[in-house]
Amino acid sequence: MKTKTIFVLVLFSVFFVSSCKKSKDASVNDYVGTWNVTDNYKKNYTMTITASGSTLTLSKLQDCFIVTASVSGNNLTIANQTLNSSTSSCGYPYTINGSGTISGSKFNTLQITYAVTDNSGQPVNNNCTATK
């Protein structure tokens, strides 16, 4: 009886462990495309994301900024960067930095939190939700 109980427990353990699914990380290609954005600054706009290796280019973040971001799985990082006349149609100079997370069963939701600083030196915190 003891042997049978141990066998059943081992069998159950193997079944339980093998049935667990690991969550899939996003690839760079999951970020690429046109996103519909709702932002706490400018309500609704479209942002386009392109990729070169693991570096993303976000065109029209906050409806006027072109920024780069690095990707690691489901996370993106906007390193501190200075925007000028070629990277900002909102005026310049600005600095920007932030981070984001992609989620959803088809990686179709992107949350980004970022800070924009102008000449005053006071950062303005922003966030947006993008879907595709």
Side-chain angles (χ1 to χ4, degrees):
M1 181 69 172
K2 203 175 202 182
T3 305
K4 212 179 212 185
T5 304
I6 291 173
F7 176 74
V8 170
L9 287 174
V10 169
L11 185 62
F12 178 74
S13 297
V14 169
F15 175 75
F16 181 73
V17 171
S18 67
S19 67
C20 293
K21 277 187 173 179
K22 286 187 177 183
S23 61
K24 177 185 163 200
D25 279 343
S27 72
V28 171
N29 290 333
D30 291 317
Y31 292 87
V32 173
T34 301
W35 294 82
N36 298 309
V37 181
T38 301
D39 192 307
N40 70 317
Y41 178 71
K42 291 215 176 206
K43 288 298 178 198
N44 297 301
Y45 56 91
T46 302
M47 174 178 64
T48 302
I49 299 179
T50 57
S52 178
S54 63
T55 300
L56 302 176
T57 299
L58 289 70
S59 297
K60 299 299 240 176
L61 179 63
Q62 196 168 304
D63 204 23
C64 60
F65 299 133
I66 299 171
V67 300
T68 58
S70 60
V71 173
S72 178
N74 295 357
N75 301 302
L76 68 81
T77 301
I78 302 169
N80 198 51
Q81 51 202 277
T82 301
L83 306 175
N84 56 40
S85 60
S86 65
T87 55
S88 172
S89 61
C90 293
Y92 56 91
Y94 288 103
T95 59
I96 189 170
N97 61 62
S99 61
T101 304
I102 194 169
S103 61
S105 61
K106 296 183 181 183
F107 299 112
N108 58 351
T109 302
L110 182 58
Q111 299 277 336
I112 304 174
T113 301
Y114 57 99
V116 177
T117 305
D118 64 10
N119 287 339
S120 72
Q122 296 298 316
V124 176
N125 295 315
N126 298 288
N127 59 67
C128 65
T129 300
T131 57
K132 67 174 180 174

